[in-house]
Amino acid sequence: MDNETRPFFYRTQQGAECDLRLERNGPVTAAIQIKLPSNAKAGKGFRISLENTRAAKGFIICNTEKTYKIDEKITITNLGHFLTYLLPELKRIKIL
């Protein structure tokens, strides 16, 4: 991460949450959910948190060998791939 990116936890009173949200100068760059199973899915709570925070991207980091998108905003990946390839890409996202 760079000096402009700050990590936060996100949870609503209704229970929608993401394990980590990354903000850069205010706007939310990414919402991140960390799961153990390799067949992790984006649950309703994660989708709500992604929508509520207006995150540019959503990531589910789990025990998988492949990286793939499950929809336009959400990518499933492993920690190594996220840290090596996806996290550096977040620095280049233009937030409106």
Side-chain angles (χ1 to χ4, degrees), residues 3-77:
N3 292 336
E4 297 174 356
T5 304
R6 298 178 46 119
F8 294 94
F9 174 73
Y10 178 81
R11 181 180 171 93
T12 66
Q13 287 183 333
Q14 294 78 23
E17 71 176 40
C18 63
D19 295 324
L20 181 64
R21 78 174 195 234
L22 300 177
E23 292 184 7
R24 191 172 69 231
N25 296 327
V28 178
T29 306
I32 300 166
Q33 189 70 31
I34 300 169
K35 302 276 189 182
L36 181 59
S38 58
N39 62 346
K41 299 175 185 167
K44 182 179 178 182
F46 179 67
R47 289 183 184 276
I48 289 170
S49 69
L50 189 64
E51 194 175 301
N52 287 351
T53 62
R54 297 183 192 151
K57 302 252 182 194
F59 298 96
I60 298 175
I61 297 174
C62 63
N63 186 24
T64 183
E65 292 183 20
K66 297 178 181 179
T67 295
Y68 56 96
K69 287 184 164 270
I70 58 172
D71 65 29
E72 184 180 320
K73 274 192 160 184
I74 301 174
T75 301
I76 294 183
T77 190

